[in-house]
Amino acid sequence: MDFRSVLRVLKQENRLEILRSEITVEDEISEICLFENGAQNIRKKLYIGNIEEIISWIKAEADSPEKGAGLSAIIGIKERDFEDESVSRHLAYSLENGMISNYALIREEHTLKALQAVNNIMQKKLKTSYQVTELMALAMRGADLKSILKVSEKTLENPVIIIDAGFKILDVSSMEDIDDDIWKASIRRGYCSYEFIKEVHKIDQIRPFPHNSDVYEVNCSFSAYVKSCSKIFHKDRLVGYVIMLKKREIENALIEEYLPMVGSSVCEVLLRTKEHKGVFGSQEENLIHELIHGGDEELIKIRFKINQIELPEKMSCLMMKTNEYLNSIQATTFLKEQIKNILPGAFCLEEQGNLLVICRLSQDGRLTSEEERRLLGLFQQGVIHMGMSSPCTDIMALKDAYGQSAQLYKISKRLQIEKEIMYFSDYSFYIMLSNLNEKDLLQYAHPALNILRKYDQIHNGELYKTLQVLVDHQSQMVKTAEALSIHRNTLSYRINKIIELTGLDLSSNEDIFRLSYGFKVEKYCRVAV
């Protein structure tokens, strides 16, 4: 504990009046001594004595060739000496020459009380240091989150709750000691109440929180208890909060030192717990992670609004898979930067070993041709698959969109599709097929296809392919001939042969429909042509 903190405890908890103080060095205090026989040149000692003893020592030091003890002192002073110019002059001289670094003046009759109070402070400091060491050792030995919180509750004598940066409740020390109905409901639901989130943001707007783990208090009109809070950081990024419901009064010094260390211990546990890896992403990433895994709809919308995060009006989930050699922090970070450069305003996060991108779509429900062109270039940089979900306009539809994008990878493997941005709308029929029994699928293919396939195998023909291209081009002769690179007369001959062999009526919408899905079924079932 430093000198400034000692003075604060003396004032707030021991009601000692500090008449005047000067603090020039923020040294930790590790020992206290009576100023009876002078002072040793040890900066971490705090000396307590009366003004006469201090001035005598200053005079003796002034005549010494070696000055600069730089000690800290609490000095008892008589009322008549307080305005004495010689006292002020000696103290100023000691500061200028580095003999005293920090001092505080109190009334002489309070000197013994100050000594006892500081001694108590140091004893509590030692006890707290031991408790902190025990907590950190527990974390390093591999304890789980619940064990850390139970030890913390025992030390702080109050319930402790851990939430992530998006106000999701990760764990609580115990439910037995929580009798606040709103917090009980929040813990059951898994998220902090809207009122608490709003209060935290209100405090931050009025008086922005420091970027550290210093303890601060949150008061909410709906709750009977003050909440002591400490931020949890990892590599300078906010990942969550430690919250203590202050049901019982305990010393502020213990809260201020112990609560941040709870956060440090919790961070160690979260880092090695697979289920909590998501908390180390950005606020946007955490919320999107909650979205795609079906979090509380009402609260997610509130959290998006409070954090002023806006998703595109028309959006889609783009899932990317990469080669194994790209699965490193540096490579993934570089790829994310490229994606955000190609797709401005996109949200990009890692999800189960893949990259998931929430991106804006044009009015036709696709990326622009320029965006597609630039994304295709990523196939040369380790990306092996890209799957794009159907468009959606509601953030709560992103869960289904994520499911769609994930299914496309299975289809790409099945159909051996490479270096293509696969849109769900283009492959939805194949995804439907993937949910059916493959053995039964071929019975739904048009029998004409089997006839043409066998004919081509015997005569080395191309009737199967000709019919497939004709169906794909909506029976337009010119476009079909161009796609096959044959003359229209050749195309007419082939079509007549197809009709002769199969008896198809190519003017029948029913036949065309059956042929269309029949080709897809055979492609999915990998029927050799």
Side-chain angles (χ1 to χ4, degrees), residues 326 328-339 378 381:
L326 266 187
S328 68
I329 295 174
Q330 293 83 356
T332 303
T333 301
F334 177 68
L335 187 57
K336 281 183 179 180
E337 290 172 357
Q338 286 187 294
I339 293 168
L378 298 181
Q381 300 182 45

Side-chain angles (χ1 to χ4, degrees), residues 80-317:
R80 59 179 172 78
D81 293 327
F82 186 66
E83 300 300 331
D84 189 330
E85 289 186 10
S86 65
V87 169
S88 298
R89 191 167 58 251
H90 279 100
L91 290 174
Y93 176 84
S94 70
L95 287 171
E96 289 169 9
N97 289 277
M99 298 151 67
I100 293 179
S101 296
N102 310 309
Y103 76 83
L105 300 181
I106 61 172
R107 299 187 187 281
E108 189 177 57
E109 60 267 27
H110 293 160
T111 307
L112 182 58
K113 184 179 179 182
L115 177 64
Q116 292 170 335
V118 174
N119 184 59
N120 288 336
I121 292 169
M122 300 308 298
Q123 290 299 319
K124 289 172 184 175
K125 168 74 175 175
L126 286 172
K127 182 180 178 182
T128 302
S129 297
Y130 172 77
Q131 291 167 324
V132 166
T133 302
E134 185 182 46
L135 181 70
M136 295 301 291
L138 190 64
M140 298 305 290
R141 286 198 299 268
D144 60 14
L145 190 55
K146 182 66 75 177
S147 300
I148 295 291
L149 296 186
K150 281 188 173 296
V151 169
S152 301
E153 179 176 6
K154 184 177 179 182
T155 301
L156 295 168
E157 301 176 20
N158 284 291
V160 179
I161 301 166
I162 302 297
I163 65 174
D164 69 13
F167 296 94
K168 177 184 177 182
I169 296 174
L170 303 180
D171 211 338
V172 59
S173 55
S174 66
M175 286 291 290
E176 291 78 11
D177 203 24
I178 297 177
D179 51 13
D180 185 309
D181 289 338
I182 291 182
W183 274 99
K184 284 165 71 174
S186 297
I187 291 166
R188 282 194 296 269
R189 186 174 57 179
Y191 295 94
C192 295
S193 67
Y194 172 62
E195 291 82 3
F196 177 77
I197 299 172
K198 190 167 66 172
E199 198 65 36
V200 170
H201 280 271
K202 188 192 298 181
I203 293 171
D204 202 14
Q205 289 167 2
I206 297 171
R207 174 181 52 80
F209 300 144
H211 197 67
N212 57 38
S213 298
D214 287 353
V215 176
Y216 60 91
E217 290 188 342
V218 176
N219 267 305
C220 306
S221 57
F222 65 86
S223 176
Y225 305 120
V226 173
K227 272 69 66 181
S228 294
C229 304
S230 173
K231 292 181 176 181
I232 303 172
F233 289 96
H234 176 65
K235 294 183 178 178
D236 210 36
R237 171 181 281 179
L238 176 67
V239 298
Y241 302 82
V242 184
I243 302 171
M244 186 194 80
L245 297 185
K246 203 171 183 180
K247 290 185 64 179
R248 302 172 187 86
E249 283 299 323
I250 60 170
E251 294 164 0
N252 289 331
L254 176 60
I255 300 173
E256 289 170 4
E257 184 163 354
Y258 194 82
L259 212 58
M261 298 314 297
V262 175
S264 298
S265 302
V266 165
C267 192
E268 289 291 329
V269 175
L270 296 179
L271 280 168
R272 63 172 180 260
T273 310
K274 193 173 288 186
E275 65 184 284
H276 292 310
K277 288 290 184 185
V279 305
F280 297 98
S282 67
Q283 183 72 279
E284 292 88 349
E285 289 175 1
N286 287 334
L287 282 172
I288 291 170
H289 180 85
E290 291 295 321
L291 266 177
I292 63 176
H293 290 289
D296 184 283
E297 179 174 344
E298 180 185 356
L299 192 60
I300 285 176
K301 287 183 176 180
I302 289 169
R303 288 159 66 198
F304 264 93
K305 184 177 180 181
I306 284 179
N307 288 287
Q308 298 180 327
I309 300 170
E310 293 187 11
L311 294 177
E313 288 185 14
K314 195 170 206 174
M315 59 192 161
S316 177
C317 279

Side-chain angles (χ1 to χ4, degrees), residues 262-447:
V262 175
S264 298
S265 302
V266 165
C267 192
E268 289 291 329
V269 175
L270 296 179
L271 280 168
R272 63 172 180 260
T273 310
K274 193 173 288 186
E275 65 184 284
H276 292 310
K277 288 290 184 185
V279 305
F280 297 98
S282 67
Q283 183 72 279
E284 292 88 349
E285 289 175 1
N286 287 334
L287 282 172
I288 291 170
H289 180 85
E290 291 295 321
L291 266 177
I292 63 176
H293 290 289
D296 184 283
E297 179 174 344
E298 180 185 356
L299 192 60
I300 285 176
K301 287 183 176 180
I302 289 169
R303 288 159 66 198
F304 264 93
K305 184 177 180 181
I306 284 179
N307 288 287
Q308 298 180 327
I309 300 170
E310 293 187 11
L311 294 177
E313 288 185 14
K314 195 170 206 174
M315 59 192 161
S316 177
C317 279
L318 170 62
M319 193 186 81
M320 292 188 182
K321 279 191 171 290
T322 61
N323 282 329
E324 288 184 7
Y325 75 85
L326 266 187
N327 292 334
S328 68
I329 295 174
Q330 293 83 356
T332 303
T333 301
F334 177 68
L335 187 57
K336 281 183 179 180
E337 290 172 357
Q338 286 187 294
I339 293 168
K340 289 183 178 181
N341 186 41
I342 296 170
L343 304 173
F347 296 90
C348 189
L349 67 149
E350 294 175 63
E351 179 60 32
Q352 297 182 356
N354 305 313
L355 279 179
L356 184 65
V357 184
I358 309 300
C359 55
R360 182 195 68 250
L361 297 178
S362 58
Q363 288 304 310
D364 64 357
R366 301 176 85 90
L367 298 171
T368 66
S369 56
E370 176 62 15
E371 287 171 338
E372 287 184 348
R373 183 189 68 78
R374 295 178 67 190
L375 281 175
L376 289 172
L378 298 181
F379 282 114
Q380 309 302 320
Q381 300 182 45
V383 174
I384 60 173
H385 167 74
M386 296 187 202
M388 182 79 75
S389 74
S390 296
C392 54
T393 55
D394 182 2
I395 62 173
M396 298 314 298
L398 284 175
K399 179 185 177 183
D400 292 335
Y402 168 64
Q404 290 178 356
S405 63
Q407 290 181 81
L408 284 168
Y409 178 65
K410 181 171 66 174
I411 300 302
S412 74
K413 299 291 285 183
R414 179 86 190 189
L415 303 182
Q416 298 180 327
I417 295 170
E418 296 180 349
K419 298 182 179 180
E420 175 186 322
I421 301 172
M422 296 177 66
Y423 285 88
F424 184 83
S425 56
D426 296 338
Y427 291 93
S428 57
F429 186 82
Y430 295 107
I431 290 173
M432 181 186 73
L433 295 182
S434 71
N435 294 315
L436 300 175
N437 188 327
E438 186 177 333
K439 292 181 179 178
D440 299 331
L441 283 177
L442 286 174
Q443 65 179 309
Y444 300 109
H446 199 294

Side-chain angles (χ1 to χ4, degrees), residues 442 445 450 453 457 464 518 521-529:
L442 286 174
N450 190 42
R453 188 168 53 255
Q457 288 170 353
Y464 185 100
V521 166
E522 293 202 347
K523 181 180 179 181
Y524 179 80
C525 293
R526 304 175 188 172
V527 174
V529 178

